[in-house]
Amino acid sequence: MDLTVGVLGTGRMAQLHSTALRSIQEKGLVIDGERHNVAVAIYGRDPAKVAPLAEACGAAKTSTDLESFIDDQAVNVIDNCLVNRLHFTPLLRAIQNGKHVYTDKPLTNTAAEGRYLLRAARQAGVHHGIVQNMRFQGGTSKAREIIASGALGRILHVRGVFGYFVPQRVENRPAWFYQKAEAGGGIVHDMMAHFFDLLGWMIGPIVRVSCDMTTVYSERETAEGERFRAEVEDAATVQMRFANGALGDVFVSWARRKHEEVPYFEIDGEDGSLIFSFNAMHQQLQANTPGFRYDPTQLQADPMTGWEPVALEGGDPFEIQLRAFLEGIVTGVPAKPDWEDGVRALELVEAAYESVDHGRAVHV
């Protein structure tokens, strides 16, 4: 089977996807001894941005016309890396053209749109996938493996911290993230679409959500100095309860000066605990846990005493997930995560916003 993946967009995510696809192309997509050809095509509005990306990934074709690109029968997989506002319509058009569909998260700007797309994809019989690179990072994939093995025993609670400082003049991320019509929401919509998926995958179903949020800068500037009103939140704390009884909390902020690798996680179980990022992990089992008595008048012992490093496997998470998605198309066995996971994440995101609106936890 020959696969031509049409990447929509030329921004940072499109570049990550295109790089991953080029690597798959070079290494080969070999299943049961048979090699399947993978080609890349690029769509972008600006020819000046399309040309260098196409050259870097060896694109088979390019276009600046979105609709004709999606309609092109030579492209049989669509990979949507456009702004959030431009997920629903292009993905629906691709499905109507019988294309397999893959998209950056979040699936769409609303759960209702997401459910509509999921139904359409199922009815069309096409494969559907959503980027959740956090599942495929070294630290998080190892954490799930350890939890599933039972080494930590009953999971008690999990904590995640994500953030870095985005100055009032937005120079280290696209300014459209602060515009509701383009982004669909702020940091909760953007990052909890990752964390709800990841924690549900690692720990189990999430059944209750509570959230509080703030907009640190109500007015911002583009990198070019154009002032605009920030319409969404840029910091939030989200609490959750899992079906197995565990508690969770995640702090996300675009106004935080970080002190650890982003993101950072702690998971505590009855029989052991993990502290980890994407690229490093330490484990402490109950047998190696030193006794602790809190004395505020004394300097505490080294907090890393009793923590042992855990070896992790590296690799490009975008390449790992894209390869699995393409293999699923060839074998007919759909890969996860898919749009069912994408819809669930959107429903949890909307529950978080609902909890802010009503000042109470929301059961989901």
Side-chain angles (χ1 to χ4, degrees):
M1 178 183 293
D2 292 339
L3 297 172
T4 298
V5 182
V7 177
L8 307 185
T10 56
R12 183 173 63 90
M13 295 310 300
Q15 293 167 23
L16 289 170
H17 288 217
S18 299
T19 299
L21 288 166
R22 180 59 183 268
S23 182
I24 293 171
Q25 184 182 54
E26 292 175 344
K27 295 175 184 176
L29 186 69
V30 181
I31 301 172
D32 295 331
E34 183 179 355
R35 186 184 181 96
H36 302 270
N37 295 322
V38 176
V40 184
I42 301 291
Y43 157 80
R45 292 179 303 171
D46 185 350
K49 294 180 179 179
V50 170
L53 181 58
E55 182 178 359
C57 67
K61 60 172 57 188
T62 64
S63 177
T64 56
D65 185 320
L66 179 58
E67 292 185 352
S68 66
F69 184 78
I70 294 173
D71 295 345
D72 188 340
Q73 292 306 303
V75 177
N76 47 14
V77 182
I78 290 295
D79 178 4
N80 194 334
C81 299
L82 297 171
V83 299
N84 299 349
R85 175 179 62 83
L86 295 176
H87 281 198
F88 179 80
T89 301
L91 289 171
L92 182 59
R93 189 181 187 96
I95 292 167
Q96 292 168 341
N97 274 276
K99 317 271 178 150
H100 302 294
V101 277
Y102 188 82
T103 184
D104 192 31
K105 62 83 206 161
L107 176 54
T108 57
N109 274 354
T110 69
E113 286 184 346
R115 288 189 288 268
Y116 188 97
L117 284 179
L118 176 58
R119 287 194 298 271
R122 285 172 170 170
Q123 289 169 2
V126 298
H127 288 243
H128 45 90
I130 184 166
V131 173
Q132 288 294 357
N133 58 288
M134 287 192 182
R135 292 195 188 194
F136 301 89
Q137 308 280 167
T140 48
S141 59
K142 187 66 175 180
R144 185 176 192 266
E145 178 187 322
I146 292 172
I147 292 167
S149 76
L152 303 186
R154 181 169 63 97
I155 301 301
L156 307 177
H157 41 73
V158 56
R159 167 169 292 173
V161 179
F162 171 92
Y164 55 91
F165 201 87
V166 181
Q168 195 164 6
R169 184 164 182 160
V170 183
E171 296 180 331
N172 53 344
R173 68 181 295 107
W176 64 261
F177 276 101
Y178 298 92
Q179 298 161 359
K180 187 172 177 61
E182 295 291 299
I187 197 166
V188 171
H189 194 271
D190 184 52
M191 291 311 304
M192 292 309 299
H194 269 312
F195 290 117
F196 280 136
D197 176 83
L198 177 69
L199 297 181
W201 177 70
M202 286 199 300
I203 309 298
I206 297 167
V207 297
R208 193 173 70 203
V209 174
S210 178
C211 178
D212 202 2
M213 61 181 65
T214 188
T215 301
V216 174
Y217 293 121
S218 59
E219 191 173 79
R220 287 183 174 271
E221 296 180 14
T222 66
E224 295 74 33
E226 181 181 348
R227 300 184 73 84
F228 66 93
R229 185 169 69 88
E231 301 170 327
V232 297
E233 78 284 351
D234 48 18
T237 178
V238 182
Q239 296 79 44
M240 63 203 79
R241 180 177 285 275
F242 297 84
N244 61 13
L247 296 177
D249 69 271
V250 178
F251 177 67
V252 288
S253 174
W254 286 324
R256 179 175 183 270
R257 293 177 176 86
K258 68 181 181 68
H259 298 283
E260 70 287 305
E261 187 181 2
V262 173
Y264 173 83
F265 301 93
E266 302 172 357
I267 296 178
D268 291 299
E270 275 191 309
D271 300 330
S273 300
L274 302 174
I275 52 176
F276 61 97
S277 63
F278 287 160
N279 301 303
M281 173 180 284
H282 285 77
Q283 176 177 262
Q284 185 177 96
L285 299 179
Q286 181 59 38
N288 299 325
T289 302
F292 180 82
R293 186 184 298 274
Y294 177 62
D295 184 345
T297 68
Q298 299 295 318
L299 179 67
Q300 295 179 16
D302 182 356
M304 292 305 295
T305 299
W307 290 91
E308 299 292 333
V310 177
L312 303 178
E313 294 184 8
D316 178 351
F318 295 94
E319 180 181 343
I320 294 170
Q321 188 179 348
L322 271 163
R323 179 180 288 277
F325 181 72
L326 297 178
E327 287 177 349
I329 293 173
V330 173
T331 62
V333 180
K336 295 283 279 182
D338 60 16
W339 287 3
E340 183 177 352
D341 301 296
V343 167
R344 180 61 175 172
L346 281 170
E347 290 173 341
L348 289 165
V349 165
E350 291 186 356
Y353 284 122
E354 182 183 344
S355 79
V356 174
D357 292 340
H358 296 284
R360 58 172 172 77
V362 173
H363 293 265
V364 290

